[in-house]
Amino acid sequence: MVEKGEKVTTGQILGKVGNSGNTSEPHLHIHAEKNGKGVPITFNDRFLVRNSLVR
């Protein structure tokens, strides 16, 4: 849904959860950066780290 370089706002749909490649369950890969550097992402006031699960 979101294209590379596009600015996003709170509540905006970022993408769809799906099952691609060799995976055991649907998932969404997400990465955020500003000026070429990674920035933290929070969902429901939780700071996510690699392999975090959000339900």
Side-chain angles (χ1 to χ4, degrees), residues 34-50:
K34 184 174 184 177
N35 300 323
K37 294 189 178 186
V39 294
I41 303 172
T42 59
F43 288 90
N44 297 328
D45 297 320
R46 280 185 54 208
F47 175 72
L48 304 181
V49 294
R50 181 173 291 206

Side-chain angles (χ1 to χ4, degrees), residues 9-52:
T9 59
T10 301
Q12 182 177 349
I13 295 174
L14 301 178
K16 295 180 179 180
V17 173
N19 201 9
S20 62
N22 185 18
T23 62
S24 60
E25 58 191 37
H27 62 282
L28 173 68
H29 292 265
I30 188 167
H31 172 80
E33 63 179 56
K34 184 174 184 177
N35 300 323
K37 294 189 178 186
V39 294
I41 303 172
T42 59
F43 288 90
N44 297 328
D45 297 320
R46 280 185 54 208
F47 175 72
L48 304 181
V49 294
R50 181 173 291 206
N51 296 324
S52 291

